[in-house]
Amino acid sequence: MLNLKNNFIMAPLKLGYSDGTGVVTDRHLSFYASRSKYLGAVTPEPLYMDKGLREIPTQLGIDNDDKIEGLKKLTDLIHASNTKAIAHLNHPGRMANPKIPGNFHLSSSDKPCENGGATPKQMNEDDIAYAIKLFADSAKRAKKAGFDIIELQFGHGYLAAQFLSPAVNDRTDNYGGNFENRIRFSLEVLNAVKQAVNLPVIARISGDEMIENGYHLDETIKFVSVLKDNGIEAVHVSAGTVCSTPPWFFQHMFVPKGKTWEFAKKIKEATGMPVISVGRVHSTEDIDLLLNENKSDFVAIGRALVADAGFVGKYLGEIDDYVRPCMACSEGCLGGVRGGTGLGCVVNPVVSFENKSVQKAGTKKKIAVIGGGLAGMEAAITLTKRGHNVRIYEKEKLGGQFNLAWLPPKKESLKEIVDYYENEIDKMGISVSITKFNQNDLDEDFDTVVIATGAVPTVPPIKGLKDYYWADYLLDENLPKNERIVIIGGGLIGIEMASKLVDRKNEVIVVEMLSEIARGMEMIEKKMTLAKLKAKNTQILLDYKVVEIDGDKVIISGAKDKVLEGIDKIIVTAGMKSLNEIEEKLKDEVEVYVIGDAHQVGKAQEAIKEGYETALRI
């Protein structure tokens, strides 16, 4: 039995906070300290079992006894809240990162990942024995380091799943072919771990690989029944494979929410095995559904605890506050890890730097925040928490241009952060004036002005360009239908516009002067959106520049000049430029700070972080 103090488990998320040696750092301790208090158990990030099997260079390790001291600090910290610590052990097999020097690649077969990567060596009996020994030795170190539970990664396209999946395993020996042979490796790992340590063992599995020739729910149910007979305490049910179906693995906003919950429910009903439900559990309503309707034994939460470290405490009523919502965008968490800076969050500016807490200001000030977009709202809330008297001036409505961000297809979850800010502003009683700020407003004796006026579209000097549109076409009431449309600019906004327009049977041509398409778009969204546009026969013309508009003709110049004829409408998404018209007028009269896009055009994560950090300085 797991014997947790409650039903909530933090799922394993790669942080990328180590220093390249695999040891626990202060960033790890800070991150998990703020998230352990209200949970039944915490699963730190996947622990590499051999330095040659890392997924990221800055991953935590459990490959050597020199890691035990640091891991013991981490488990002691988790235990301080009467919370249990789960060691997640994973052999990536062919999914070891090919860009890390010294990594090696093994699998059930010599098939490389469909998404690219190294060609693995098909494992022989010695390789299999060594892999099993890695799990057993790592479990022993986990126990010495104070972990209470072992979680074995048997899903998500990693090594155990590479044996289980008929899409990968083409062996003809005792480890391939029929179901009993394909699960043999997993069972040998499980039995070796159980012989090595007397700790409860759980398994993370994919309810379905979500690929045609992979394994599906029926085989997963058979697998879970066997795991139950072999002493597994619970199964942690997700979906997909990091190799072939990463949107399902990462539970991206572009895949249907709740599919993994459905898998867990069916597995529990069929086998009686205790289940851990996971996957976009982002609201108190989600938790209620899983515990009360799906009868989940445990709920695992990952990115929602990144967005709001107190999420479970708020659900349990121990913290009286709104939940800062995870938007399932993967932008800050996945993007930060891949980018080398470590896990961050679009909506939470203190992730991994929890020591930047809000302190009361030494001197209370009267402050005007000009602009109610993300940067302005974050600044206003943080300034108010510090004791300042704040008024927001917003010429249209709170949210600013981010009110357009959730209008492209499958991005509805982005609206939740604006709703959160509006609720916080209302609860805190922050004054909001829906009007344009002007210099006369300084008569109210403001001590400080924070300028967060955002950015405006850049319009290139194109001969004949008169009638054109921008992102206002994202509004449903403005959407044309069955028209031939040219989009000038193939960055994030242009490609999102194209995605929405093709859904209304418009013929779309994207003209991009650079050789790269969809700059600034998160990786999973980019891949799925471009695949959709290709399926809809969208023309994407790279290395072309629009030089003239002549009636319904668009003349473009590139390797070969072209004339696009019969064009009904033109949309310009050629970039943004900062809008800051009032700093020069105010800076001699009052203390001025400029934040967000008004300071430098960037992404939502940068705007929120700058709003927060500027508010700490005032």
Side-chain angles (χ1 to χ4, degrees):
M1 296 294 291
L2 301 186
N3 293 321
L4 308 184
K5 70 182 183 186
N6 62 36
N7 307 83
F8 299 103
I9 298 171
M10 183 167 190
L13 296 170
K14 297 181 187 71
L15 302 188
Y17 293 166
S18 194
D19 59 3
T21 66
V23 300
V24 171
T25 66
D26 288 341
R27 287 182 78 187
H28 291 106
L29 298 176
S30 174
F31 179 85
Y32 290 114
S34 64
R35 289 165 174 82
S36 299
K37 184 175 181 181
Y38 302 103
L39 301 173
V42 167
T43 315
E45 75 173 6
L47 305 170
Y48 70 77
M49 302 186 298
D50 185 297
K51 193 174 182 180
L53 294 172
R54 286 176 291 169
E55 293 184 78
I56 55 174
T58 49
Q59 188 174 352
L60 276 178
I62 198 167
D63 61 316
N64 192 289
D65 286 353
D66 64 3
K67 309 297 193 303
I68 293 175
E69 181 181 358
L71 292 170
K72 185 67 166 59
K73 287 182 183 179
L74 180 54
T75 60
D76 285 347
L77 178 150
I78 294 169
H79 291 153
S81 298
N82 192 28
T83 300
K84 291 192 174 181
I86 301 174
H88 179 92
L89 305 181
N90 176 29
H91 191 308
R94 65 179 184 170
M95 296 305 300
N97 191 333
K99 296 180 181 179
I100 298 177
N103 265 6
F104 57 91
H105 305 86
L106 303 169
S107 187
S108 61
S109 71
D110 60 0
K111 295 179 183 178
C113 174
E114 295 86 345
N115 288 347
T119 298
K121 172 194 173 187
Q122 184 181 68
M123 297 171 74
N124 59 32
E125 289 186 3
D126 289 341
D127 296 324
I128 291 172
Y130 177 65
I132 293 169
K133 185 176 185 297
L134 285 178
F135 278 99
D137 290 347
S138 298
K140 291 175 185 176
R141 293 189 193 102
K143 184 173 182 179
K144 290 179 182 178
F147 284 96
D148 308 284
I149 300 165
I150 304 295
E151 179 171 78
L152 303 175
Q153 174 59 283
F154 284 170
H156 286 158
Y158 292 114
L159 181 60
Q162 290 162 28
F163 276 91
L164 179 60
S165 177
V168 184
N169 188 346
D170 60 5
R171 303 174 74 101
T172 57
D173 62 3
N174 288 339
Y175 291 93
N178 61 38
F179 172 77
E180 288 71 20
N181 284 350
R182 286 186 282 114
I183 67 171
R184 188 181 307 278
F185 175 77
S186 298
L187 295 182
E188 290 179 349
V189 167
L190 171 59
N191 290 329
V193 167
K194 289 185 71 65
Q195 289 175 21
V197 295
N198 60 343
L199 295 177
V201 181
I202 61 179
R204 196 163 204 209
I205 61 173
S206 294
D208 193 302
E209 284 199 296
M210 312 304 286
I211 53 176
E212 185 177 355
N213 57 346
Y215 64 84
H216 303 293
L217 182 61
D218 55 345
E219 277 203 331
T220 302
I221 288 172
K222 288 171 60 180
F223 182 39
V224 170
S225 294
V226 177
L227 292 177
K228 184 180 180 182
D229 292 341
N230 282 266
I232 283 282
E233 299 284 352
V235 288
H236 184 174
V237 185
S238 186
T241 154
V242 68
C243 177
S244 306
T245 50
W248 285 101
F249 169 66
F250 291 110
Q251 287 293 290
H252 191 269
M253 67 170 86
F254 274 32
V255 301
K257 180 173 177 173
K259 194 69 176 176
T260 54
W261 310 347
E262 177 187 327
F263 292 149
K265 181 179 180 181
K266 290 181 177 179
I267 289 169
K268 179 179 174 67
E269 290 172 347
T271 67
M273 171 72 85
V275 295
I276 304 167
S277 294
V278 72
R280 289 184 68 184
V281 183
H282 293 165
S283 70
T284 56
E285 293 80 10
D286 293 340
I287 296 174
D288 283 338
L289 186 152
L290 289 171
L291 293 179
N292 301 327
E293 294 185 30
N294 284 30
K295 306 299 181 184
S296 297
D297 299 275
F298 304 96
V299 177
I301 303 169
R303 289 173 298 168
L305 284 166
V306 179
D308 190 334
F311 174 42
V312 172
K314 293 173 183 180
Y315 174 80
L316 294 173
E318 298 186 42
I319 302 174
D320 182 18
D321 205 352
Y322 292 109
V323 173
R324 187 179 285 249
C326 171
M327 302 185 298
C329 63
S330 298
E331 181 77 44
C333 45
L334 178 58
V337 172
R338 284 198 168 133
T341 58
L343 178 138
C345 182
V346 170
V347 302
N348 186 350
V350 301
V351 171
S352 87
F353 298 101
E354 270 80 5
N355 57 336
K356 290 185 178 182
S357 58
V358 176
Q359 303 292 329
K360 289 293 183 181
T363 303
K364 183 177 179 179
K365 294 182 177 182
K366 188 174 182 180
I367 301 173
V369 175
I370 307 173
L374 298 183
M377 291 190 291
E378 177 64 46
I381 289 168
T382 306
L383 288 166
T384 302
K385 288 178 179 177
R386 298 195 65 219
H388 296 301
N389 182 2
V390 179
R391 174 177 291 178
I392 299 173
Y393 289 83
E394 168 55 49
K395 64 181 182 179
E396 294 180 1
K397 63 179 182 177
L398 291 176
Q401 289 183 357
F402 201 74
N403 286 315
L404 299 173
W406 66 79
L407 298 179
K410 299 185 178 181
K411 302 195 76 172
E412 298 84 0
S413 60
L414 299 188
K415 185 178 186 300
E416 294 174 13
I417 187 59
V418 176
D419 294 340
Y420 164 80
Y421 279 130
E422 288 181 326
N423 287 333
E424 283 285 295
I425 288 166
D426 182 63
K427 183 187 74 173
M428 298 173 75
I430 299 173
S431 176
V432 179
S433 296
I434 303 299
T435 183
K436 185 175 181 179
F437 182 92
N438 62 64
Q439 206 162 353
N440 295 333
D441 290 308
L442 288 179
D443 294 341
E444 295 195 31
D445 298 324
F446 288 110
D447 301 297
T448 303
V449 172
V450 178
I451 298 173
T453 44
V456 292
T458 298
V459 181
I462 297 171
K463 181 180 178 181
L465 179 62
K466 297 176 182 177
D467 298 324
Y468 59 89
Y469 302 86
W470 185 61
D472 43 3
Y473 256 5
L474 289 170
L475 296 167
D476 289 340
E477 60 267 26
N478 295 339
L479 274 176
K481 188 175 182 180
N482 294 317
E483 294 192 346
R484 186 167 160 86
I485 299 171
V486 166
I487 298 177
I488 302 175
L492 183 149
I493 297 175
I495 294 303
E496 288 187 337
M497 291 286 298
S499 177
K500 186 141 189 176
L501 287 165
V502 296
D503 287 343
R504 292 290 295 268
K505 299 183 179 179
N506 293 290
E507 181 186 350
V508 177
I509 305 168
V510 180
V511 182
E512 168 56 52
M513 64 186 299
L514 301 178
S515 57
E516 180 187 0
I517 196 68
R519 295 178 316 284
M521 186 175 277
E522 183 272 326
M523 181 195 68
I524 294 175
E525 178 188 356
K526 177 177 180 178
K527 183 170 183 178
M528 295 184 75
T529 303
L530 292 179
K532 170 187 173 180
L533 294 180
K534 182 178 180 181
K536 298 275 189 177
N537 298 315
T538 303
Q539 288 189 64
I540 296 179
L541 304 174
L542 299 179
D543 298 310
Y544 273 95
K545 183 178 180 181
V546 176
V547 294
E548 184 178 352
I549 311 296
D550 181 11
D552 68 349
K553 297 181 179 64
V554 175
I555 302 165
I556 62 175
S557 176
K560 182 179 180 181
D561 292 353
K562 296 184 179 183
V563 178
L564 308 175
E565 301 190 48
I567 304 302
D568 297 299
K569 289 185 173 65
I570 294 170
I571 296 172
V572 177
T573 57
M576 306 290 290
K577 61 182 179 181
S578 296
L579 176 64
N580 179 8
E581 300 173 329
I582 57 176
E583 182 182 8
E584 288 298 318
K585 300 175 183 177
L586 300 181
K587 66 180 184 180
D588 293 332
E589 301 184 46
V590 68
E591 179 183 48
V592 175
Y593 294 84
V594 184
I595 63 173
D597 282 353
H599 173 224
Q600 183 175 340
V601 175
K603 293 187 174 183
Q605 182 172 349
E606 295 155 348
I608 290 173
K609 186 174 184 179
E610 189 171 18
Y612 177 80
E613 293 186 341
T614 300
L616 295 185
R617 298 199 306 269
I618 297 175

PDB file of all heavy atoms in Angstrom, residues 421-439:
ATOM      1  N   TYR A 421      -6.620  37.010 -13.875  1.00  0.00           N
ATOM      2  CA  TYR A 421      -6.203  38.364 -13.515  1.00  0.00           C
ATOM      3  C   TYR A 421      -7.411  39.252 -13.200  1.00  0.00           C
ATOM      4  O   TYR A 421      -7.387  40.043 -12.245  1.00  0.00           O
ATOM      5  CB  TYR A 421      -5.390  38.980 -14.651  1.00  0.00           C
ATOM      6  CG  TYR A 421      -3.934  38.566 -14.681  1.00  0.00           C
ATOM      7  CD1 TYR A 421      -3.345  38.100 -15.843  1.00  0.00           C
ATOM      8  CD2 TYR A 421      -3.146  38.654 -13.539  1.00  0.00           C
ATOM      9  CE1 TYR A 421      -2.003  37.732 -15.875  1.00  0.00           C
ATOM     10  CE2 TYR A 421      -1.805  38.295 -13.561  1.00  0.00           C
ATOM     11  CZ  TYR A 421      -1.237  37.833 -14.726  1.00  0.00           C
ATOM     12  OH  TYR A 421       0.079  37.469 -14.750  1.00  0.00           O
ATOM     13  N   GLU A 422      -8.455  39.140 -13.997  1.00  0.00           N
ATOM     14  CA  GLU A 422      -9.645  39.953 -13.734  1.00  0.00           C
ATOM     15  C   GLU A 422     -10.239  39.632 -12.365  1.00  0.00           C
ATOM     16  O   GLU A 422     -10.657  40.546 -11.624  1.00  0.00           O
ATOM     17  CB  GLU A 422     -10.680  39.734 -14.834  1.00  0.00           C
ATOM     18  CG  GLU A 422     -10.296  40.365 -16.170  1.00  0.00           C
ATOM     19  CD  GLU A 422     -11.356  40.157 -17.238  1.00  0.00           C
ATOM     20  OE1 GLU A 422     -12.006  39.085 -17.230  1.00  0.00           O
ATOM     21  OE2 GLU A 422     -11.535  41.065 -18.066  1.00  0.00           O
ATOM     22  N   ASN A 423     -10.293  38.351 -12.011  1.00  0.00           N
ATOM     23  CA  ASN A 423     -10.814  37.962 -10.698  1.00  0.00           C
ATOM     24  C   ASN A 423      -9.935  38.499  -9.573  1.00  0.00           C
ATOM     25  O   ASN A 423     -10.440  38.980  -8.550  1.00  0.00           O
ATOM     26  CB  ASN A 423     -10.899  36.436 -10.599  1.00  0.00           C
ATOM     27  CG  ASN A 423     -12.031  35.863 -11.425  1.00  0.00           C
ATOM     28  OD1 ASN A 423     -13.032  36.529 -11.675  1.00  0.00           O
ATOM     29  ND2 ASN A 423     -11.877  34.628 -11.885  1.00  0.00           N
ATOM     30  N   GLU A 424      -8.613  38.427  -9.753  1.00  0.00           N
ATOM     31  CA  GLU A 424      -7.701  38.931  -8.737  1.00  0.00           C
ATOM     32  C   GLU A 424      -7.853  40.440  -8.569  1.00  0.00           C
ATOM     33  O   GLU A 424      -7.873  40.960  -7.448  1.00  0.00           O
ATOM     34  CB  GLU A 424      -6.255  38.601  -9.120  1.00  0.00           C
ATOM     35  CG  GLU A 424      -5.868  37.158  -8.881  1.00  0.00           C
ATOM     36  CD  GLU A 424      -5.653  36.869  -7.403  1.00  0.00           C
ATOM     37  OE1 GLU A 424      -4.718  37.421  -6.805  1.00  0.00           O
ATOM     38  OE2 GLU A 424      -6.445  36.096  -6.844  1.00  0.00           O
ATOM     39  N   ILE A 425      -7.937  41.147  -9.680  1.00  0.00           N
ATOM     40  CA  ILE A 425      -8.075  42.606  -9.632  1.00  0.00           C
ATOM     41  C   ILE A 425      -9.362  42.994  -8.917  1.00  0.00           C
ATOM     42  O   ILE A 425      -9.387  43.914  -8.087  1.00  0.00           O
ATOM     43  CB  ILE A 425      -8.014  43.180 -11.060  1.00  0.00           C
ATOM     44  CG1 ILE A 425      -6.576  43.091 -11.586  1.00  0.00           C
ATOM     45  CG2 ILE A 425      -8.527  44.615 -11.117  1.00  0.00           C
ATOM     46  CD1 ILE A 425      -6.438  43.316 -13.075  1.00  0.00           C
ATOM     47  N   ASP A 426     -10.431  42.269  -9.204  1.00  0.00           N
ATOM     48  CA  ASP A 426     -11.711  42.543  -8.557  1.00  0.00           C
ATOM     49  C   ASP A 426     -11.639  42.226  -7.061  1.00  0.00           C
ATOM     50  O   ASP A 426     -12.082  43.013  -6.222  1.00  0.00           O
ATOM     51  CB  ASP A 426     -12.809  41.724  -9.229  1.00  0.00           C
ATOM     52  CG  ASP A 426     -14.176  41.981  -8.637  1.00  0.00           C
ATOM     53  OD1 ASP A 426     -14.657  43.121  -8.730  1.00  0.00           O
ATOM     54  OD2 ASP A 426     -14.776  41.037  -8.065  1.00  0.00           O
ATOM     55  N   LYS A 427     -11.083  41.075  -6.712  1.00  0.00           N
ATOM     56  CA  LYS A 427     -11.004  40.667  -5.305  1.00  0.00           C
ATOM     57  C   LYS A 427     -10.154  41.644  -4.491  1.00  0.00           C
ATOM     58  O   LYS A 427     -10.478  41.952  -3.329  1.00  0.00           O
ATOM     59  CB  LYS A 427     -10.401  39.270  -5.208  1.00  0.00           C
ATOM     60  CG  LYS A 427     -10.331  38.706  -3.794  1.00  0.00           C
ATOM     61  CD  LYS A 427      -9.567  37.403  -3.745  1.00  0.00           C
ATOM     62  CE  LYS A 427      -8.079  37.629  -3.903  1.00  0.00           C
ATOM     63  NZ  LYS A 427      -7.288  36.404  -3.684  1.00  0.00           N
ATOM     64  N   MET A 428      -9.079  42.139  -5.100  1.00  0.00           N
ATOM     65  CA  MET A 428      -8.163  43.036  -4.381  1.00  0.00           C
ATOM     66  C   MET A 428      -8.640  44.478  -4.384  1.00  0.00           C
ATOM     67  O   MET A 428      -8.037  45.331  -3.727  1.00  0.00           O
ATOM     68  CB  MET A 428      -6.765  42.930  -5.001  1.00  0.00           C
ATOM     69  CG  MET A 428      -6.158  41.539  -4.892  1.00  0.00           C
ATOM     70  SD  MET A 428      -4.606  41.339  -5.803  1.00  0.00           S
ATOM     71  CE  MET A 428      -3.492  42.214  -4.712  1.00  0.00           C
ATOM     72  N   GLY A 429      -9.726  44.743  -5.126  1.00  0.00           N
ATOM     73  CA  GLY A 429     -10.281  46.091  -5.146  1.00  0.00           C
ATOM     74  C   GLY A 429      -9.415  47.099  -5.879  1.00  0.00           C
ATOM     75  O   GLY A 429      -9.436  48.297  -5.553  1.00  0.00           O
ATOM     76  N   ILE A 430      -8.674  46.647  -6.875  1.00  0.00           N
ATOM     77  CA  ILE A 430      -7.831  47.558  -7.650  1.00  0.00           C
ATOM     78  C   ILE A 430      -8.709  48.398  -8.559  1.00  0.00           C
ATOM     79  O   ILE A 430      -9.552  47.872  -9.294  1.00  0.00           O
ATOM     80  CB  ILE A 430      -6.788  46.771  -8.458  1.00  0.00           C
ATOM     81  CG1 ILE A 430      -5.878  45.978  -7.523  1.00  0.00           C
ATOM     82  CG2 ILE A 430      -5.977  47.702  -9.351  1.00  0.00           C
ATOM     83  CD1 ILE A 430      -4.931  45.030  -8.241  1.00  0.00           C
ATOM     84  N   SER A 431      -8.513  49.688  -8.546  1.00  0.00           N
ATOM     85  CA  SER A 431      -9.306  50.604  -9.377  1.00  0.00           C
ATOM     86  C   SER A 431      -8.922  50.444 -10.845  1.00  0.00           C
ATOM     87  O   SER A 431      -7.738  50.409 -11.187  1.00  0.00           O
ATOM     88  CB  SER A 431      -9.060  52.047  -8.922  1.00  0.00           C
ATOM     89  OG  SER A 431      -9.743  52.956  -9.755  1.00  0.00           O
ATOM     90  N   VAL A 432      -9.931  50.342 -11.707  1.00  0.00           N
ATOM     91  CA  VAL A 432      -9.710  50.207 -13.149  1.00  0.00           C
ATOM     92  C   VAL A 432     -10.501  51.290 -13.871  1.00  0.00           C
ATOM     93  O   VAL A 432     -11.724  51.403 -13.692  1.00  0.00           O
ATOM     94  CB  VAL A 432     -10.150  48.823 -13.663  1.00  0.00           C
ATOM     95  CG1 VAL A 432      -9.936  48.728 -15.173  1.00  0.00           C
ATOM     96  CG2 VAL A 432      -9.394  47.709 -12.945  1.00  0.00           C
ATOM     97  N   SER A 433      -9.807  52.083 -14.662  1.00  0.00           N
ATOM     98  CA  SER A 433     -10.460  53.109 -15.487  1.00  0.00           C
ATOM     99  C   SER A 433     -10.371  52.681 -16.949  1.00  0.00           C
ATOM    100  O   SER A 433      -9.273  52.585 -17.502  1.00  0.00           O
ATOM    101  CB  SER A 433      -9.777  54.468 -15.304  1.00  0.00           C
ATOM    102  OG  SER A 433      -9.914  54.935 -13.979  1.00  0.00           O
ATOM    103  N   ILE A 434     -11.524  52.398 -17.543  1.00  0.00           N
ATOM    104  CA  ILE A 434     -11.548  52.031 -18.964  1.00  0.00           C
ATOM    105  C   ILE A 434     -11.561  53.322 -19.766  1.00  0.00           C
ATOM    106  O   ILE A 434     -12.587  53.819 -20.236  1.00  0.00           O
ATOM    107  CB  ILE A 434     -12.754  51.134 -19.294  1.00  0.00           C
ATOM    108  CG1 ILE A 434     -12.724  49.882 -18.418  1.00  0.00           C
ATOM    109  CG2 ILE A 434     -12.737  50.732 -20.772  1.00  0.00           C
ATOM    110  CD1 ILE A 434     -11.496  49.016 -18.603  1.00  0.00           C
ATOM    111  N   THR A 435     -10.387  53.866 -19.908  1.00  0.00           N
ATOM    112  CA  THR A 435     -10.203  55.127 -20.613  1.00  0.00           C
ATOM    113  C   THR A 435      -8.730  55.276 -20.950  1.00  0.00           C
ATOM    114  O   THR A 435      -7.871  54.644 -20.321  1.00  0.00           O
ATOM    115  CB  THR A 435     -10.663  56.318 -19.747  1.00  0.00           C
ATOM    116  OG1 THR A 435     -10.541  57.521 -20.496  1.00  0.00           O
ATOM    117  CG2 THR A 435      -9.809  56.446 -18.489  1.00  0.00           C
ATOM    118  N   LYS A 436      -8.436  56.097 -21.924  1.00  0.00           N
ATOM    119  CA  LYS A 436      -7.048  56.341 -22.285  1.00  0.00           C
ATOM    120  C   LYS A 436      -6.424  57.331 -21.309  1.00  0.00           C
ATOM    121  O   LYS A 436      -7.013  58.370 -21.008  1.00  0.00           O
ATOM    122  CB  LYS A 436      -6.962  56.879 -23.719  1.00  0.00           C
ATOM    123  CG  LYS A 436      -5.537  57.041 -24.234  1.00  0.00           C
ATOM    124  CD  LYS A 436      -5.516  57.450 -25.704  1.00  0.00           C
ATOM    125  CE  LYS A 436      -4.082  57.572 -26.207  1.00  0.00           C
ATOM    126  NZ  LYS A 436      -4.031  57.942 -27.643  1.00  0.00           N
ATOM    127  N   PHE A 437      -5.272  56.988 -20.796  1.00  0.00           N
ATOM    128  CA  PHE A 437      -4.568  57.872 -19.866  1.00  0.00           C
ATOM    129  C   PHE A 437      -4.074  59.102 -20.614  1.00  0.00           C
ATOM    130  O   PHE A 437      -3.573  59.013 -21.731  1.00  0.00           O
ATOM    131  CB  PHE A 437      -3.380  57.119 -19.257  1.00  0.00           C
ATOM    132  CG  PHE A 437      -2.590  57.906 -18.245  1.00  0.00           C
ATOM    133  CD1 PHE A 437      -2.907  57.821 -16.894  1.00  0.00           C
ATOM    134  CD2 PHE A 437      -1.533  58.720 -18.627  1.00  0.00           C
ATOM    135  CE1 PHE A 437      -2.174  58.528 -15.949  1.00  0.00           C
ATOM    136  CE2 PHE A 437      -0.800  59.428 -17.701  1.00  0.00           C
ATOM    137  CZ  PHE A 437      -1.125  59.332 -16.352  1.00  0.00           C
ATOM    138  N   ASN A 438      -4.210  60.249 -19.999  1.00  0.00           N
ATOM    139  CA  ASN A 438      -3.612  61.452 -20.573  1.00  0.00           C
ATOM    140  C   ASN A 438      -2.888  62.218 -19.481  1.00  0.00           C
ATOM    141  O   ASN A 438      -3.036  61.948 -18.286  1.00  0.00           O
ATOM    142  CB  ASN A 438      -4.655  62.327 -21.282  1.00  0.00           C
ATOM    143  CG  ASN A 438      -5.717  62.837 -20.336  1.00  0.00           C
ATOM    144  OD1 ASN A 438      -5.429  63.594 -19.416  1.00  0.00           O
ATOM    145  ND2 ASN A 438      -6.967  62.409 -20.557  1.00  0.00           N
ATOM    146  N   GLN A 439      -2.121  63.182 -19.870  1.00  0.00           N
ATOM    147  CA  GLN A 439      -1.234  63.874 -18.941  1.00  0.00           C
ATOM    148  C   GLN A 439      -1.997  64.552 -17.813  1.00  0.00           C
ATOM    149  O   GLN A 439      -1.483  64.719 -16.710  1.00  0.00           O
ATOM    150  CB  GLN A 439      -0.371  64.887 -19.697  1.00  0.00           C
ATOM    151  CG  GLN A 439       0.944  65.189 -19.008  1.00  0.00           C
ATOM    152  CD  GLN A 439       1.945  65.824 -19.948  1.00  0.00           C
ATOM    153  OE1 GLN A 439       1.692  65.917 -21.151  1.00  0.00           O
ATOM    154  NE2 GLN A 439       3.075  66.242 -19.412  1.00  0.00           N
TER     155      GLN A 439
END
